Amino acid sequence: MTKFFHSIIHCGTIYSKSSAEKRGIILSNAIGLVLLAISLFLFSMYYLWYGWNLITFAIPAAGMLCLLVIPLNLKGFNDSARIWISLIIPIFGTFLSVYAKTIYPEFQQALDYFTFRFIILSSCVIPWVLFSLNEKKFLVTCSLIGLLLLMAYDPLHNAFGVPYHQGNLKATNYYFANVVIFVVYWALMAHIIFLKRLSENTEGKNIELIKQLNTANETLLLKNAEIQLKNAEILEQSHVLQTNQDRLWDANQIIEGQRRLLLQKNQSLQSELIEANKVLTETNTELIKHNNELRQFSFSVSHNLRGPVASLLGLLALIDPKSIVAENVEIFKHIQSSTEQLDYIIKDLIKIIDIRQDIFQIRQKISLYDEFKSIHDILEHEIYSHHVAFRNDFSKCEVIYSVKPMIHSILYNLISNSIKYRSLDQPPVIEISSEELADQFVLTVKDNGLGIDLNTHRDNVFKLYHRFHRHVEGRGLGLYLVKLQCEALGGTVFVESELNKFTKFTLHLPKPDNLQMQLLLDEPYAKIVFDATMNSTGVTWRGPVSSEQYRQVFSKALEFLTAYNTPTWISDLTDQGHVAKEDQLWMLTTILPEAAKNGLKRIVLIQPLERDLEVQEYLESIELNINKFGIRYKSFRTVQETVEWLRKENQGTTLYQNHDRSVDRV
């Protein structure tokens, strides 16, 4: 019997999601059974007192309705079951009170108006038993419905025409009972809420303590297992240690003998080491000498070539294009274009040799389309004479940030190699594409030429003076330079090829850091930075500055401008201080003309809010002189205003260039 009631009370607990919800399900089932038992008891008593009537029948019917909570829980409708058992008694009790007084008005007594009210009041406790304080929606709703029915008891009876009739208890005293019941309701609810909160807080603490206890037990079990394991290991190691001690004694005897032999060997090696150091010193001296000679050779080649090329350019300038025979005009243009491109290449080589190495650590913004167009112009004769087709896709990455002369050299060597080693069985096609990844730029150059037998030559592809097709003229230098320059940029190059089908070179170039603040000079009196994203050079003065410091800053800036042709110069004059007249004149007559020749287009000055007369004259002289060279002049009060203006300027330049390129493609 006990097992049967246990199974009935626990119906629906499988659907519970927490201990509080499980407790609510068990209590709702139990309350349903208890209410059924109470209804049967009241049915018996009511029958003995009043005999058989509608009320006698309604009492067990109410108990059976309470029992519906069990099938609701069994089907998983746990919330609905608790709401049902919380509301069925006050609702059914109110209905039964009104209905009974309607059909049996002659049998009503004053006590009848209190009996049902006590039943409703007692049933208001049920929601606080079944619902957790966290289930505020259900708890508040059911409680308010019970309170509403309790307070609306008399108005409902009045509405259905069965109000309280004054008897032994005066009407005023009867209606005051509503105040007493209201106070009793809230007193009862206050005690229940207090006990409920105390109970649930205690339960929460108990659950937390149980969790902590379980965790501590698990930790203790793990530690006990570890201790047992370590004890076994210690026991095993003690046996091993004893064995090792015996072996160590034997080894010490052997070591002692070897030490004596080693001492003898060291004495003989010391003399050999002295001799080897002497040879190494001589070798290093020779290496330094060869390195200096190689550097001098590079310097001589670049500068010695500059003279003949300059002469050739001068001679070409003396030739009147109108005096050239019509069929030779095109040839003359190619000679002139090739000579100019050779002059540019030699200038770049001179820059790499002459300018200090720190400048060529600077990365700048490079348009891949512009670099391809420049190389296309250099190789124009070969491209058209061999009918070379290009399929370029720079849509995924139109610009990269790197060292421009090196990128130009890499692409030039790969494209010229693709043309040189083209297949004679099909029209040459060269595919160039780019892609930007999270931390690197990827450039790909692919052709449908002769290909390389990588099974035989994979290890020699990028070695100096190695060639794979003897019938074509070449020195075996191009791919060596490609790999050398790619690695100098911190990148890698990979080759894929199939003989007589294709060759594909893939370059992975790392993205440089801090593109907006690349330091060219950082001294206590001034700082020069290069912003690759805006292609601008800027100086922040930390004055006052001396004449030597002033000239050093501008010399350094001109050196960089000559190398990179940056179009914008930004100068923050806020803390520059006083500049002597002779230094101003030197800057205007020496630095400014050279800067204009090397591509300076804009000068932006950040001026102090308060300017004295000397500063005003200095700024006016700058503005007056730069107009002679076609340089735009702007001044702002803050760095933020300067950056916003320059960003708009660059956007306008980009739109113009994109339009120009689209026209060029057409």
Side-chain angles (χ1 to χ4, degrees), residues 322-391:
K322 296 179 181 178
S323 64
I324 301 173
V325 182
E327 57 266 20
N328 293 333
V329 170
E330 190 67 27
I331 297 173
F332 175 76
K333 288 182 179 178
H334 283 302
I335 293 172
Q336 191 175 32
S337 174
S338 298
T339 306
E340 289 173 354
Q341 293 296 335
L342 178 59
D343 185 50
Y344 293 147
I345 292 170
I346 292 173
K347 283 181 180 178
D348 287 340
L349 181 58
I350 291 172
K351 291 175 188 176
I352 294 172
I353 294 170
D354 287 348
I355 298 176
R356 292 195 298 272
Q357 186 64 25
D358 59 342
I359 286 182
F360 278 91
Q361 297 301 321
I362 299 296
R363 269 48 175 174
Q364 66 182 129
K365 188 175 183 179
I366 302 171
S367 167
L368 293 175
Y369 173 79
D370 290 344
E371 287 305 306
F372 167 74
K373 190 174 185 304
S374 173
I375 295 167
H376 188 281
D377 292 343
I378 297 171
L379 300 172
E380 186 175 12
H381 176 70
E382 290 84 350
I383 290 170
Y384 288 119
S385 61
H386 300 303
H387 307 288
V388 181
F390 286 92
R391 295 175 184 169

Coordinates of all heavy atoms in Angstrom, one line a residue, residues 322-391:
K322 N 60.9 65.0 -85.8 CA 60.4 65.3 -87.1 C 61.4 64.9 -88.2 O 61.0 64.6 -89.4 CB 60.1 66.8 -87.3 CG 59.0 67.2 -86.3 CD 58.7 68.7 -86.5 CE 57.6 69.2 -85.5 NZ 57.4 70.6 -85.6
S323 N 62.7 64.8 -87.8 CA 63.7 64.4 -88.8 C 63.8 62.9 -89.0 O 64.6 62.5 -89.8 CB 65.1 65.0 -88.4 OG 65.5 64.4 -87.1
I324 N 63.1 62.2 -88.2 CA 63.2 60.7 -88.3 C 62.3 60.2 -89.3 O 61.2 60.7 -89.5 CB 62.9 60.1 -86.9 CG1 63.9 60.6 -85.8 CG2 63.0 58.6 -87.0 CD1 63.5 60.1 -84.4
V325 N 62.8 59.2 -90.1 CA 62.0 58.6 -91.1 C 60.7 58.0 -90.5 O 60.8 57.4 -89.4 CB 62.8 57.5 -91.9 CG1 62.0 56.9 -93.0 CG2 64.1 58.2 -92.5
A326 N 59.6 58.0 -91.2 CA 58.4 57.6 -90.6 C 58.4 56.2 -90.1 O 57.9 55.9 -89.0 CB 57.3 57.7 -91.7
E327 N 59.1 55.2 -90.8 CA 59.1 53.8 -90.4 C 60.0 53.6 -89.1 O 59.9 52.6 -88.5 CB 59.5 52.9 -91.5 CG 60.9 53.2 -92.1 CD 60.8 54.1 -93.3 OE1 59.8 54.8 -93.5 OE2 61.8 54.1 -94.1
N328 N 60.8 54.6 -88.8 CA 61.7 54.5 -87.6 C 61.1 55.3 -86.4 O 61.8 55.2 -85.3 CB 63.1 55.0 -87.9 CG 63.8 54.1 -89.0 OD1 63.5 53.0 -89.0 ND2 64.7 54.7 -89.7
V329 N 60.0 56.0 -86.5 CA 59.5 56.7 -85.4 C 59.1 55.8 -84.3 O 59.4 56.1 -83.1 CB 58.2 57.5 -85.9 CG1 57.5 58.2 -84.7 CG2 58.6 58.6 -86.9
E330 N 58.5 54.7 -84.6 CA 58.1 53.8 -83.5 C 59.3 53.2 -82.8 O 59.3 53.1 -81.6 CB 57.2 52.7 -84.1 CG 56.5 51.8 -83.0 CD 55.5 52.5 -82.3 OE1 54.9 53.5 -82.8 OE2 55.2 52.1 -81.1
I331 N 60.3 52.9 -83.6 CA 61.5 52.3 -83.0 C 62.2 53.4 -82.1 O 62.7 53.1 -81.0 CB 62.5 51.9 -84.1 CG1 61.9 50.8 -84.9 CG2 63.9 51.5 -83.5 CD1 62.7 50.4 -86.2
F332 N 62.2 54.7 -82.5 CA 62.8 55.7 -81.7 C 62.0 55.9 -80.4 O 62.7 56.1 -79.4 CB 62.7 57.0 -82.5 CG 63.2 58.2 -81.7 CD1 64.6 58.4 -81.5 CD2 62.3 59.1 -81.2 CE1 65.0 59.5 -80.8 CE2 62.7 60.2 -80.4 CZ 64.1 60.4 -80.2
K333 N 60.7 55.8 -80.5 CA 59.9 55.9 -79.2 C 60.3 54.8 -78.3 O 60.4 55.0 -77.1 CB 58.4 55.9 -79.6 CG 57.9 57.2 -80.2 CD 56.4 57.1 -80.5 CE 55.9 58.3 -81.1 NZ 54.5 58.3 -81.4
H334 N 60.4 53.6 -78.8 CA 60.8 52.4 -77.9 C 62.2 52.6 -77.3 O 62.4 52.3 -76.1 CB 60.7 51.1 -78.7 CG 59.4 50.6 -78.9 ND1 58.5 50.3 -77.9 CD2 58.7 50.3 -80.1 CE1 57.3 49.9 -78.4 NE2 57.4 49.9 -79.7
I335 N 63.1 53.1 -78.1 CA 64.5 53.4 -77.6 C 64.4 54.4 -76.5 O 65.0 54.3 -75.4 CB 65.4 53.9 -78.8 CG1 65.6 52.7 -79.8 CG2 66.7 54.3 -78.2 CD1 66.4 53.1 -81.0
Q336 N 63.7 55.5 -76.8 CA 63.5 56.6 -75.8 C 62.9 56.0 -74.5 O 63.4 56.3 -73.4 CB 62.7 57.7 -76.3 CG 62.8 59.0 -75.5 CD 62.0 60.1 -76.2 OE1 61.1 59.9 -76.9 NE2 62.5 61.3 -76.0
S337 N 61.8 55.3 -74.6 CA 61.1 54.7 -73.4 C 62.0 53.8 -72.7 O 62.1 53.8 -71.4 CB 59.8 54.0 -73.9 OG 59.2 53.4 -72.8
S338 N 62.7 52.9 -73.4 CA 63.5 51.9 -72.7 C 64.7 52.6 -72.0 O 65.1 52.2 -70.9 CB 64.1 50.9 -73.7 OG 63.0 50.2 -74.3
T339 N 65.2 53.6 -72.6 CA 66.3 54.4 -72.0 C 65.8 55.0 -70.7 O 66.5 55.0 -69.6 CB 66.9 55.4 -72.9 OG1 67.3 54.7 -74.1 CG2 68.2 56.0 -72.3
E340 N 64.7 55.6 -70.7 CA 64.1 56.3 -69.5 C 63.8 55.3 -68.4 O 64.1 55.5 -67.3 CB 62.8 57.0 -69.9 CG 63.0 58.2 -70.8 CD 61.7 58.8 -71.2 OE1 60.7 58.2 -71.0 OE2 61.7 59.9 -71.9
Q341 N 63.3 54.1 -68.8 CA 63.1 53.0 -67.8 C 64.4 52.6 -67.2 O 64.5 52.3 -66.0 CB 62.3 51.9 -68.4 CG 60.9 52.2 -68.8 CD 60.0 52.6 -67.7 OE1 60.3 52.2 -66.6 NE2 59.0 53.4 -68.0
L342 N 65.4 52.4 -68.0 CA 66.7 52.0 -67.5 C 67.3 53.1 -66.6 O 67.9 52.7 -65.5 CB 67.7 51.8 -68.7 CG 69.1 51.4 -68.3 CD1 69.2 50.1 -67.6 CD2 70.0 51.3 -69.6
D343 N 67.0 54.3 -66.9 CA 67.4 55.4 -66.0 C 66.8 55.3 -64.6 O 67.4 55.5 -63.6 CB 67.1 56.8 -66.6 CG 67.7 57.9 -65.8 OD1 68.9 57.9 -65.4 OD2 66.9 58.9 -65.5
Y344 N 65.4 55.0 -64.7 CA 64.7 54.8 -63.4 C 65.2 53.7 -62.6 O 65.4 53.8 -61.4 CB 63.2 54.6 -63.7 CG 62.5 55.8 -64.3 CD1 61.5 55.6 -65.2 CD2 62.9 57.1 -64.0 CE1 60.8 56.7 -65.8 CE2 62.2 58.2 -64.5 CZ 61.2 58.0 -65.5 OH 60.6 59.0 -66.0
I345 N 65.5 52.6 -63.3 CA 66.1 51.4 -62.6 C 67.4 51.7 -61.9 O 67.7 51.3 -60.8 CB 66.2 50.2 -63.5 CG1 64.8 49.7 -64.0 CG2 66.9 49.0 -62.9 CD1 64.8 48.7 -65.1
I346 N 68.3 52.4 -62.7 CA 69.6 52.7 -62.1 C 69.4 53.7 -60.9 O 70.1 53.6 -59.9 CB 70.5 53.4 -63.2 CG1 70.8 52.3 -64.3 CG2 71.8 54.0 -62.6 CD1 71.5 52.8 -65.5
K347 N 68.5 54.6 -61.0 CA 68.2 55.5 -59.9 C 67.8 54.7 -58.7 O 68.2 55.0 -57.5 CB 67.1 56.5 -60.3 CG 67.6 57.7 -61.2 CD 66.5 58.6 -61.5 CE 66.9 59.8 -62.4 NZ 65.8 60.7 -62.7
D348 N 66.9 53.8 -58.9 CA 66.5 52.9 -57.7 C 67.7 52.2 -57.1 O 67.8 52.0 -55.9 CB 65.4 51.9 -58.2 CG 64.1 52.6 -58.4 OD1 63.9 53.7 -57.9 OD2 63.2 52.0 -59.1
L349 N 68.5 51.6 -58.0 CA 69.7 50.9 -57.5 C 70.6 51.9 -56.7 O 71.2 51.5 -55.7 CB 70.5 50.3 -58.7 CG 71.7 49.5 -58.4 CD1 71.4 48.3 -57.5 CD2 72.4 49.0 -59.6
I350 N 70.8 53.1 -57.2 CA 71.6 54.1 -56.5 C 71.0 54.4 -55.2 O 71.7 54.5 -54.2 CB 71.8 55.4 -57.4 CG1 72.6 55.1 -58.6 CG2 72.4 56.5 -56.6 CD1 72.7 56.2 -59.6
K351 N 69.7 54.5 -55.1 CA 69.0 54.8 -53.9 C 69.3 53.7 -52.9 O 69.6 53.9 -51.7 CB 67.5 54.9 -54.1 CG 67.0 56.1 -54.8 CD 65.6 56.0 -55.1 CE 65.1 57.2 -56.0 NZ 63.7 57.0 -56.3
I352 N 69.2 52.4 -53.3 CA 69.4 51.3 -52.4 C 70.9 51.3 -51.9 O 71.1 51.0 -50.8 CB 69.1 49.9 -53.1 CG1 67.6 49.9 -53.5 CG2 69.5 48.8 -52.3 CD1 67.2 48.7 -54.3
I353 N 71.8 51.7 -52.7 CA 73.2 51.7 -52.3 C 73.6 52.9 -51.5 O 74.2 52.8 -50.5 CB 74.1 51.6 -53.6 CG1 73.9 50.2 -54.3 CG2 75.6 51.7 -53.2 CD1 74.5 50.2 -55.6
D354 N 73.1 54.1 -52.0 CA 73.5 55.3 -51.4 C 72.8 55.6 -50.1 O 73.4 56.1 -49.1 CB 73.3 56.5 -52.3 CG 74.3 56.5 -53.5 OD1 75.3 55.7 -53.4 OD2 74.1 57.2 -54.5
I355 N 71.5 55.4 -50.0 CA 70.7 55.8 -48.9 C 70.9 54.8 -47.7 O 70.9 53.6 -47.9 CB 69.2 56.0 -49.2 CG1 69.1 57.1 -50.3 CG2 68.4 56.4 -48.0 CD1 67.7 57.2 -50.8
R356 N 70.9 55.3 -46.5 CA 71.1 54.5 -45.4 C 70.0 53.4 -45.3 O 68.9 53.6 -45.6 CB 71.1 55.3 -44.1 CG 72.3 56.2 -44.0 CD 72.5 56.8 -42.6 NE 71.3 57.5 -42.2 CZ 71.2 58.8 -42.4 NH1 72.1 59.5 -43.0 NH2 70.1 59.4 -42.0
Q357 N 70.4 52.3 -44.7 CA 69.6 51.1 -44.7 C 68.3 51.3 -44.0 O 67.3 50.7 -44.3 CB 70.3 49.9 -44.1 CG 69.6 48.6 -44.2 CD 69.4 48.1 -45.6 OE1 70.2 48.5 -46.5 NE2 68.4 47.3 -45.8
D358 N 68.2 52.2 -43.0 CA 67.0 52.4 -42.2 C 65.9 52.9 -43.0 O 64.7 52.5 -42.7 CB 67.3 53.3 -41.0 CG 67.7 54.7 -41.4 OD1 68.2 54.8 -42.6 OD2 67.6 55.6 -40.6
I359 N 66.1 53.7 -44.0 CA 65.0 54.2 -44.9 C 64.4 53.0 -45.6 O 63.2 53.0 -45.8 CB 65.6 55.2 -45.8 CG1 65.9 56.5 -45.1 CG2 64.6 55.5 -47.0 CD1 66.3 57.7 -45.9
F360 N 65.2 52.1 -46.1 CA 64.6 51.0 -46.9 C 64.0 49.9 -46.0 O 63.7 48.8 -46.5 CB 65.6 50.4 -47.9 CG 65.7 51.3 -49.1 CD1 66.6 52.3 -49.2 CD2 64.8 51.1 -50.2 CE1 66.6 53.1 -50.3 CE2 64.8 51.9 -51.3 CZ 65.8 52.9 -51.4
Q361 N 63.9 50.1 -44.7 CA 63.0 49.3 -43.9 C 61.6 49.8 -43.9 O 60.7 49.2 -43.4 CB 63.6 49.3 -42.5 CG 65.0 48.7 -42.3 CD 65.0 47.2 -42.8 OE1 64.1 46.5 -42.6 NE2 66.1 46.9 -43.4
I362 N 61.4 51.0 -44.5 CA 60.1 51.6 -44.5 C 59.2 51.0 -45.6 O 59.7 50.8 -46.7 CB 60.2 53.1 -44.8 CG1 61.0 53.8 -43.7 CG2 58.8 53.8 -44.9 CD1 60.4 53.8 -42.3
R363 N 58.0 50.7 -45.2 CA 57.0 50.1 -46.1 C 56.1 51.2 -46.6 O 55.6 52.1 -45.8 CB 56.2 49.0 -45.5 CG 56.7 47.6 -45.6 CD 58.1 47.4 -45.2 NE 58.5 46.0 -45.3 CZ 59.7 45.6 -45.1 NH1 60.7 46.5 -44.9 NH2 60.0 44.3 -45.1
Q364 N 55.7 51.2 -47.9 CA 54.9 52.2 -48.5 C 53.7 51.5 -49.2 O 53.7 50.3 -49.5 CB 55.6 53.1 -49.4 CG 56.1 52.4 -50.7 CD 56.9 53.4 -51.6 OE1 58.0 53.1 -52.0 NE2 56.3 54.5 -51.9
K365 N 52.7 52.3 -49.5 CA 51.5 51.8 -50.2 C 51.9 51.6 -51.7 O 52.3 52.5 -52.4 CB 50.4 52.8 -50.1 CG 49.0 52.3 -50.6 CD 48.0 53.3 -50.3 CE 46.6 52.9 -50.7 NZ 45.5 53.9 -50.3
I366 N 51.6 50.4 -52.2 CA 52.0 50.1 -53.6 C 50.7 49.6 -54.4 O 50.1 48.6 -54.0 CB 53.0 48.9 -53.7 CG1 54.3 49.4 -52.9 CG2 53.4 48.6 -55.1 CD1 55.3 48.2 -52.7
S367 N 50.4 50.3 -55.5 CA 49.3 49.9 -56.3 C 49.8 48.8 -57.3 O 50.8 49.0 -58.1 CB 48.8 51.1 -57.1 OG 48.0 50.6 -58.2
L368 N 49.3 47.6 -57.2 CA 49.7 46.5 -58.0 C 49.4 46.8 -59.5 O 50.2 46.4 -60.4 CB 49.0 45.2 -57.6 CG 49.4 44.7 -56.2 CD1 48.6 43.5 -55.8 CD2 50.9 44.4 -56.1
Y369 N 48.3 47.5 -59.8 CA 48.0 47.8 -61.2 C 49.1 48.7 -61.7 O 49.5 48.6 -62.8 CB 46.6 48.5 -61.3 CG 46.3 49.0 -62.7 CD1 45.9 48.1 -63.7 CD2 46.5 50.4 -62.9 CE1 45.7 48.6 -64.9 CE2 46.2 50.8 -64.2 CZ 45.8 50.0 -65.2 OH 45.6 50.5 -66.5
D370 N 49.5 49.7 -60.9 CA 50.5 50.7 -61.4 C 51.8 50.0 -61.6 O 52.5 50.3 -62.6 CB 50.6 51.8 -60.4 CG 49.4 52.7 -60.3 OD1 48.6 52.7 -61.3 OD2 49.3 53.5 -59.4
E371 N 52.2 49.1 -60.7 CA 53.5 48.4 -60.9 C 53.4 47.5 -62.2 O 54.4 47.4 -63.0 CB 53.7 47.5 -59.7 CG 54.2 48.2 -58.5 CD 55.3 49.1 -58.7 OE1 56.4 48.6 -59.2 OE2 55.2 50.3 -58.5
F372 N 52.3 46.8 -62.4 CA 52.1 46.0 -63.6 C 52.2 46.9 -64.9 O 52.9 46.5 -65.8 CB 50.8 45.3 -63.6 CG 50.4 44.7 -64.9 CD1 51.1 43.5 -65.4 CD2 49.5 45.3 -65.7 CE1 50.8 43.0 -66.6 CE2 49.2 44.7 -67.0 CZ 49.8 43.6 -67.4
K373 N 51.6 48.1 -64.8 CA 51.6 49.0 -66.0 C 53.0 49.4 -66.3 O 53.4 49.5 -67.4 CB 50.7 50.1 -65.7 CG 50.4 51.0 -67.0 CD 49.4 52.1 -66.7 CE 49.0 52.9 -68.0 NZ 50.2 53.5 -68.6
S374 N 53.8 49.7 -65.2 CA 55.1 50.2 -65.4 C 56.0 49.1 -66.0 O 56.8 49.3 -66.9 CB 55.7 50.6 -64.0 OG 57.1 50.8 -64.1
I375 N 55.8 47.8 -65.6 CA 56.6 46.7 -66.1 C 56.1 46.4 -67.6 O 56.9 46.1 -68.5 CB 56.4 45.5 -65.2 CG1 57.0 45.7 -63.9 CG2 57.0 44.2 -65.9 CD1 56.7 44.7 -62.8
H376 N 54.8 46.6 -67.8 CA 54.3 46.4 -69.1 C 54.9 47.4 -70.1 O 55.2 47.0 -71.3 CB 52.7 46.6 -69.1 CG 52.0 46.2 -70.4 ND1 52.0 47.1 -71.5 CD2 51.4 45.1 -70.8 CE1 51.3 46.5 -72.4 NE2 50.9 45.3 -72.0
D377 N 55.1 48.6 -69.7 CA 55.7 49.6 -70.5 C 57.1 49.3 -70.8 O 57.6 49.5 -72.0 CB 55.6 51.0 -69.9 CG 54.2 51.5 -69.8 OD1 53.3 51.0 -70.5 OD2 53.9 52.4 -69.0
I378 N 57.9 48.8 -69.8 CA 59.3 48.4 -70.1 C 59.4 47.2 -71.1 O 60.2 47.2 -72.0 CB 59.9 48.0 -68.7 CG1 59.9 49.2 -67.8 CG2 61.3 47.5 -68.9 CD1 60.4 48.8 -66.4
L379 N 58.5 46.3 -70.9 CA 58.5 45.1 -71.8 C 57.6 45.1 -73.0 O 57.2 44.1 -73.5 CB 58.2 43.8 -70.9 CG 59.1 43.5 -69.7 CD1 58.6 42.4 -68.9 CD2 60.5 43.2 -70.2
E380 N 57.2 46.4 -73.3 CA 56.1 46.5 -74.3 C 56.5 45.9 -75.7 O 55.7 45.2 -76.3 CB 55.9 48.0 -74.5 CG 54.7 48.3 -75.5 CD 54.4 49.8 -75.6 OE1 55.2 50.6 -75.1 OE2 53.3 50.1 -76.1
H381 N 57.8 46.0 -76.1 CA 58.2 45.5 -77.4 C 58.1 44.0 -77.4 O 57.5 43.4 -78.3 CB 59.6 45.9 -77.6 CG 60.2 45.3 -78.9 ND1 59.8 45.7 -80.2 CD2 61.1 44.3 -79.1 CE1 60.4 44.9 -81.1 NE2 61.3 44.1 -80.4
E382 N 58.6 43.3 -76.3 CA 58.5 41.8 -76.2 C 57.1 41.4 -76.1 O 56.7 40.3 -76.7 CB 59.3 41.3 -75.0 CG 60.8 41.5 -75.1 CD 61.3 42.9 -74.7 OE1 60.4 43.8 -74.5 OE2 62.5 43.1 -74.6
I383 N 56.2 42.1 -75.4 CA 54.8 41.7 -75.2 C 54.1 41.7 -76.5 O 53.4 40.7 -76.9 CB 54.1 42.6 -74.2 CG1 54.7 42.4 -72.8 CG2 52.6 42.4 -74.2 CD1 54.3 43.4 -71.8
Y384 N 54.2 42.7 -77.3 CA 53.5 42.8 -78.6 C 54.1 42.0 -79.7 O 53.4 41.4 -80.5 CB 53.4 44.3 -79.0 CG 52.5 45.1 -78.2 CD1 52.9 46.2 -77.5 CD2 51.1 44.8 -78.1 CE1 52.1 46.9 -76.7 CE2 50.3 45.5 -77.3 CZ 50.7 46.6 -76.6 OH 49.9 47.3 -75.8
S385 N 55.4 41.8 -79.7 CA 56.1 41.0 -80.7 C 55.8 39.6 -80.5 O 55.7 38.8 -81.5 CB 57.6 41.3 -80.7 OG 58.2 40.9 -79.5
H386 N 55.6 39.1 -79.3 CA 55.3 37.7 -79.1 C 53.8 37.5 -78.8 O 53.4 36.3 -78.4 CB 56.1 37.2 -77.9 CG 57.6 37.3 -78.1 ND1 58.2 36.7 -79.2 CD2 58.6 37.9 -77.4 CE1 59.5 37.0 -79.2 NE2 59.8 37.7 -78.1
H387 N 53.0 38.5 -78.9 CA 51.5 38.4 -78.7 C 51.2 37.8 -77.3 O 50.4 36.9 -77.2 CB 50.9 37.5 -79.8 CG 51.2 38.0 -81.2 ND1 50.7 39.1 -81.8 CD2 52.1 37.5 -82.1 CE1 51.2 39.3 -83.0 NE2 52.1 38.3 -83.2
V388 N 51.8 38.4 -76.3 CA 51.5 37.9 -74.9 C 50.2 38.4 -74.4 O 49.9 39.6 -74.5 CB 52.7 38.3 -74.0 CG1 52.4 37.8 -72.6 CG2 54.0 37.8 -74.5
A389 N 49.4 37.5 -73.9 CA 48.1 37.9 -73.3 C 48.2 37.9 -71.8 O 48.8 37.0 -71.2 CB 47.0 37.0 -73.8
F390 N 47.6 38.9 -71.1 CA 47.6 38.9 -69.6 C 46.2 38.8 -69.1 O 45.3 39.3 -69.6 CB 48.2 40.3 -69.1 CG 49.7 40.4 -69.3 CD1 50.2 40.9 -70.4 CD2 50.5 39.9 -68.3 CE1 51.6 41.0 -70.6 CE2 51.9 40.0 -68.4 CZ 52.5 40.5 -69.6
R391 N 46.1 38.0 -68.0 CA 44.8 37.9 -67.3 C 45.1 38.2 -65.9 O 45.6 37.4 -65.1 CB 44.3 36.4 -67.4 CG 43.9 36.0 -68.8 CD 43.5 34.6 -68.9 NE 43.3 34.1 -70.3 CZ 43.1 32.8 -70.6 NH1 43.2 31.9 -69.7 NH2 42.9 32.5 -71.9

